[in-house]
């Protein structure tokens, strides 16, 4: 089910290959949806919602009564967990707040202001892929950043309702407006606005290939967080690791979808073989067995390496979304990790903790983009603007330098801007 490889047999290019494929095949149909929403607004949204979600809606905005009914419909124990998660996520993201800075130097004053975005749109998948955790992980940092209006969109069910857990999470996290619309059409509505849905400055949140393509196409009109691909995990394990734990964590990733990637890199052949057996055992009666099996066959593997140094070399090449360090001294090894979205330390810190409750954001760079992308954070919902002040004497002190720079670049009007103030 899951193959065991020796490092000498490893082809890293195969591991690094994108599992999601190109969005090019979807571009034309998504472009047509976006253009239709631009032209027809709410009428286009009604048409697509009926076509794709099977819901005949006359209005899109979720009412306060619907939110209260959803909260009532939720298990009280789950609401308690949602509130606990909200507190943990908020506590972590509060530490990310940045108040800018000011610098005074030789009569000049300069600095950087941190300004919250005015309006953001958050896409939350619905239906069988309804994840209230996504609501918390997107709305909470936006709220902490100081965003004035947080607009959440999520596809309705065929009866026109929204999954209660989604609405409960939105209420607890602090979303300002919620609309029953999904797919590429929802992204278009957030980017360009309709008669009902306001245009925003940035769109965040995961979605299927149509949503991802729409985000790519509207980028520039609005900002986006990232183009998320299939989820992935890489686990580094030494002889102290427990095969049952390793297998459980590999399968937790594999059950997402057939394109998910789950990799174990271990210094122990014994651990490799025992984990492969555990994978077979734990998969036997799993509810999502077919998805797990297909995912592991397509993208999963166990790699045996001679030492931890080799394991970290592979890790930085793969740049996983999630990295577990199931080794004897994980903190001592943390600085060896350069490319990973989020790192989970020790035998009792499964990646699943980060999905729901711990606090760090679960919106992470996928498909090797941890080489240059970061997890979603408060900073993603803010912009930065610099400012500069020179008094007369401060300008005089640097005027010759600026004039020389401008002349060297052949920009004589630039030089003249300084000369006029210098009196030359």
């Amino acid at each position: 089910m899951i193959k065991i490889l020796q490092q000498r047999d490893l082809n890293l290019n195969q591991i690094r290959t994108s599992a999601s494929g190109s969005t090019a095949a979807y571009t034309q149909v998504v472009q047509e949806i976006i253009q239709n929403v631009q032209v027809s607004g709410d009428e286009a949204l009604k048409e697509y919602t009926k076509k794709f979600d099977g819901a005949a809606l006359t209005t899109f905005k979720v009412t306060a009564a619907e939110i209260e009914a959803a909260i009532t419909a939720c298990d009280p124990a789950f609401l308690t967990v949602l509130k606990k998660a909200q507190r943990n996520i908020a506590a972590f993201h509060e530490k990310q707040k940045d108040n800018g800075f000011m610098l005074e130097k030789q009569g000049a004053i300069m600095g950087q202001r941190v300004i919250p975005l005015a309006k953001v749109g958050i896409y939350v998948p619905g239906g069988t892929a309804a994840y209230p955790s996504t609501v918390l992980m997107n709305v909470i940092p936006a709220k902490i950043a100081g965003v004035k209006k947080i607009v959440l969109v999520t596809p309705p069910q065929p009866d026109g309702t929204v999954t209660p857990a989604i609405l409960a999470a939105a209420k607890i996290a602090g979303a300002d407006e919620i609309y029953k619309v999904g797919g590429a059409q929802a992204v278009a509505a957030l980017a360009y606005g309709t008669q009902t849905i306001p245009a925003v400055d940035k769109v965040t949140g995961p979605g299927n290939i149509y949503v991802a393509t729409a985000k790519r196409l509207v980028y520039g009109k609005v900002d986006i967080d990232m183009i998320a691909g299939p989820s992935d995990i890489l686990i580094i394990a030494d002889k102290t690791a427990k095969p049952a734990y390793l297998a459980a964590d590999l399968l937790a990733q594999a059950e997402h979808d057939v394109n998910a990637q789950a990799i174990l890199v271990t210094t122990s052949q014994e651990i490799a073989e025992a984990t492969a057996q555990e994978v077979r055992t734990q998969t036997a009666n799993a509810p999502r067995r077919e998805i797990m099996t297909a995912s592991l066959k397509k993208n999963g593997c166990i790699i045996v390496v001679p030492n931890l140094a080799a394991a970290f070399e592979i890790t930085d090449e793969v740049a996983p979304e999630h990295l577990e360090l199931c080794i004897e001294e994980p903190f001592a090894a943390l600085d060896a990790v350069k490319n990973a979205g989020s790192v989970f330390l020790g035998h009792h810190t499964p990646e699943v903790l980060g999905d729901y409750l711990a606090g760090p954001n679960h919106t992470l760079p996928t498909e090797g983009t941890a080489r240059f992308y970061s997890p979603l954070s408060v900073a993603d919902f803010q912009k930065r603007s610099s400012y500069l002040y020179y008094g007369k004497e401060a300008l005089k002190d640097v005027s010759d330098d600026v004039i020389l720079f401008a002349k060297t670049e052949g920009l004589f009007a630039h030089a003249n801007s300084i000369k006029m103030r210098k009196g030359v």
Side-chain angles (χ1 to χ4, degrees):
M1 179 182 296
I2 185 168
K3 52 187 175 287
I4 299 177
L5 304 173
Q6 302 300 313
Q7 186 180 13
R8 62 179 176 272
D9 302 322
L10 182 63
N11 183 347
L12 274 177
N13 288 327
Q14 283 186 317
I15 292 177
R16 285 193 298 254
T17 298
S18 168
S20 62
S22 171
T23 62
Y26 302 87
T27 298
Q28 183 176 348
V29 65
V30 172
Q31 187 67 67
E32 290 175 0
I33 291 172
I34 292 172
Q35 290 172 349
N36 197 12
V37 172
Q38 283 183 266
V39 172
S40 302
D42 283 354
E43 288 306 311
L45 296 183
K46 291 175 184 177
E47 173 190 333
Y48 290 127
T49 302
K50 177 64 175 175
K51 179 178 180 180
F52 297 129
D53 302 306
L57 301 182
T58 55
T59 60
F60 297 102
K61 191 171 184 178
V62 175
T63 65
E66 287 177 291
I67 295 171
E68 291 306 315
I71 291 172
T72 301
C74 285
D75 180 352
F78 178 64
L79 293 177
T80 299
V81 171
L82 275 180
K83 292 173 183 176
K84 184 182 293 185
Q86 187 276 335
R87 291 193 295 271
N88 291 348
I89 296 165
F92 180 87
H93 288 80
E94 281 284 350
K95 295 292 185 180
Q96 296 177 339
K97 291 172 73 172
D98 179 4
N99 296 315
F101 63 86
M102 185 180 75
L103 172 67
E104 294 187 49
K105 183 179 180 182
Q106 298 175 334
I109 300 172
M110 60 197 75
Q112 179 172 273
R113 299 166 62 220
V114 179
I115 306 164
L117 300 181
K119 294 178 288 185
V120 300
I122 293 169
Y123 187 93
V124 178
T128 58
Y131 299 130
S133 58
T134 296
V135 177
L136 301 182
M137 294 291 182
N138 282 264
V139 174
I140 291 170
K143 203 76 177 175
I144 291 171
V147 175
K148 294 292 186 289
K149 180 177 283 190
I150 301 172
V151 180
L152 189 148
V153 294
T154 189
Q157 300 179 93
D159 64 359
T161 63
V162 174
T163 305
I166 295 292
L167 295 184
K171 175 70 173 180
I172 289 168
D176 297 300
E177 298 176 4
I178 307 168
Y179 294 92
K180 305 173 190 177
V181 60
Q185 60 272 22
V187 176
L190 291 172
Y192 294 97
T194 71
Q195 294 87 342
T196 300
I197 299 175
V200 299
D201 302 312
K202 183 167 187 169
V203 178
T204 73
N208 62 20
I209 191 68
Y210 294 96
V211 171
T213 303
K215 286 172 69 176
R216 192 187 300 276
L217 291 173
V218 301
Y219 176 65
K221 173 63 177 176
V222 293
D223 191 17
I224 62 172
D225 50 351
M226 63 183 79
I227 305 295
S231 193
D232 65 82
I233 190 170
L234 189 148
I235 304 173
I236 295 178
D238 62 14
K239 63 182 180 181
T240 67
K242 295 185 180 296
Y245 294 178
L246 300 176
D249 294 353
L250 291 171
L251 291 172
Q253 202 63 218
E255 78 169 341
H256 274 292
D257 64 65
V258 296
N259 289 319
Q261 186 175 69
I263 299 171
L264 170 64
V265 182
T266 179
T267 55
S268 167
Q269 181 71 32
E270 182 181 349
I271 290 290
E273 293 173 0
T275 302
Q277 179 56 49
E278 274 288 341
V279 166
R280 288 189 288 271
T281 300
Q282 293 183 30
T283 306
N285 297 310
R288 295 171 69 87
R289 182 178 183 277
E290 290 185 6
I291 293 174
M292 291 174 173
T293 302
S295 170
L296 292 176
K297 183 177 180 180
K298 180 181 179 183
N299 300 308
C301 65
I302 298 173
I303 304 166
V304 181
V305 294
N307 50 52
L308 286 177
F312 285 112
E313 286 180 11
I314 292 171
T315 299
D316 279 345
E317 286 291 323
V318 174
E321 177 187 12
H322 308 101
L323 172 64
E324 287 187 7
L325 298 183
C326 297
I327 57 179
E328 189 170 11
E329 297 183 3
F331 278 98
L334 185 57
D335 285 345
V337 179
K338 306 304 178 188
N339 299 325
S342 190
V343 185
F344 302 82
L345 302 165
H347 302 304
H348 303 287
T349 315
E351 178 275 325
V352 172
L353 276 175
D355 284 341
Y356 301 118
L357 198 70
N361 208 286
H362 78 191
T363 305
L364 304 170
T366 60
E367 297 186 322
T369 58
R371 292 179 294 111
F372 48 84
Y373 269 128
S374 302
L376 192 72
S377 72
V378 169
D380 286 294
F381 298 98
Q382 298 170 324
K383 58 184 178 179
R384 282 148 181 78
S385 175
S386 60
Y387 60 89
L388 181 64
Y389 168 82
Y390 271 67
K392 185 175 182 179
E393 291 303 314
L395 176 61
K396 182 179 178 181
D397 288 343
V398 301
S399 59
D400 289 341
D401 296 337
V402 179
I403 289 168
L404 178 58
F405 224 129
K407 286 181 176 179
T408 300
E409 293 191 347
L411 298 173
F412 295 97
H414 281 58
N416 191 55
S417 175
I418 300 295
K419 287 180 180 180
M420 293 294 290
R421 289 165 172 80
K422 186 180 178 184
V424 177

